[in-house]
Amino acid sequence: MSHTYSTKAYAKINLFLRICGKYPNGYHRLFTLMQEISLADDICLTADPDEEDEIVVANMLPGLRQEDDLCYKAACKYLDKIDAKGYGSITINVNKNIPSQAGLGGGSSDAASVIKLLQKRFKNPLTGEELNKLGTSLGADVPFFFTGKSAFCEGIGEQVTSCRSLAGMHLVMV
């Protein structure tokens, strides 16, 4: 019997971004204030444990191979991390509303949302620290989206410190 889980994957803006240097691996060391905004993609995950183990992203961006899709990578890494066997068929549908490559974190938010839905599906086997490490392996913005709202982010983005909410402030995006 299949189960469907859905959520919104909210975009973010950087209210400021300071590059504080470079790590030996080439990543920038940064300090930023991120704010989740109301613009969001819709994520739907259907899990059918009666089917063969398979992950499918049903509606990828044109020209993107499934192996390169961040939602696919997130699901694969999550299932590897929890050592899932016999998990069945997992189908991911993303209704994109966040413009691609716009600096709004759409792909990272989608990946974090897929992981959160899988956490729900498998009854939360990973700790916050494990989620943070998993998210960081996918992208610098991913850890922010596990908590969202308003947060200072440091390092490559993996050090997330929530701050007083900035929600309700007016913003015009062009």
Side-chain angles (χ1 to χ4, degrees), residues 64-162:
L64 186 65
R65 295 179 322 141
Q66 179 159 278
E67 298 78 28
D68 297 327
D69 185 272
L70 204 49
C71 290
Y72 179 82
K73 288 180 182 180
C76 288
K77 284 190 174 214
Y78 180 88
L79 293 168
D80 284 347
K81 178 73 177 165
I82 67 167
D83 198 28
K85 304 279 189 275
Y87 56 82
S89 170
I90 294 176
T91 303
I92 302 164
N93 280 287
V94 180
N95 181 18
K96 291 294 290 175
N97 297 305
I98 302 170
S100 206
Q101 303 297 310
L104 299 173
S108 295
S109 182
D110 294 348
S113 293
V114 166
I115 291 169
K116 289 191 281 187
L117 292 175
L118 288 169
Q119 270 284 90
K120 188 174 183 177
R121 160 70 180 93
F122 290 101
K123 302 193 182 356
N124 302 309
L126 298 184
T127 65
E129 185 177 321
E130 290 170 320
L131 287 171
N132 195 45
K133 284 182 184 176
L134 178 63
T136 302
S137 75
L138 292 162
D141 288 345
V142 177
F144 166 76
F145 288 108
F146 289 130
T147 55
K149 298 186 176 54
S150 307
F152 290 102
C153 299
E154 299 179 72
I156 63 166
E158 82 285 7
Q159 299 167 31
V160 179
T161 305
S162 294

Side-chain angles (χ1 to χ4, degrees), residues 36-54:
E36 183 178 88
I37 60 175
S38 60
L39 180 63
D41 292 341
D42 297 303
I43 310 290
C44 182
L45 186 144
T46 303
D48 190 341
D50 298 328
E51 298 291 326
E52 287 187 40
D53 289 359
E54 178 183 40

Side-chain angles (χ1 to χ4, degrees), residues 18-39:
R18 179 178 298 148
I19 305 297
C20 303
K22 217 175 201 180
Y23 290 108
N25 62 8
Y27 284 105
H28 287 101
R29 187 168 55 88
L30 57 88
F31 180 60
T32 185
L33 175 57
M34 291 187 189
Q35 174 63 48
E36 183 178 88
I37 60 175
S38 60
L39 180 63

